[in-house]
Amino acid sequence: KASFLFLTQGKVDLMMDNINSYTRKKLSDRSPAQLFSFLYGDDTAGKLNSHLIEANEINLTPELLK
């Protein structure tokens, strides 16, 4: 069993920002975050507390949440 009690909203937001900033071939080498901002605007992304992480700073390891 895994416990998620250590997660805060800030940690979940950080995790999702890193996941959604990773580019995908199916999205023409864009990230979901870039596509969302293109379709709905940076203001909407900001209101949803979504932030683009630079490619060289994306962390998809468990250490991100420590």
Side-chain angles (χ1 to χ4, degrees):
K1 277 185 180 180
S3 173
F4 295 101
L5 295 177
F6 70 98
L7 289 177
T8 62
Q9 186 62 52
K11 286 183 177 182
V12 172
D13 290 344
L14 179 62
M15 177 180 63
M16 295 310 301
D17 286 343
N18 276 269
I19 291 169
N20 289 325
S21 294
Y22 191 77
T23 59
R24 282 116 160 150
K25 194 172 191 171
K26 288 184 176 184
L27 299 177
S28 300
D29 293 321
R30 291 186 187 169
S31 70
Q34 290 170 318
L35 185 58
F36 184 90
S37 288
F38 175 76
L39 293 173
Y40 301 104
D42 291 331
D43 289 341
T44 303
K47 289 177 183 176
L48 294 172
N49 202 28
S50 176
H51 305 94
L52 183 65
I53 307 295
E54 294 296 323
N56 62 338
E57 295 181 19
I58 293 173
N59 182 352
L60 299 178
T61 67
E63 283 71 36
L64 177 68
L65 300 178
K66 291 184 179 180

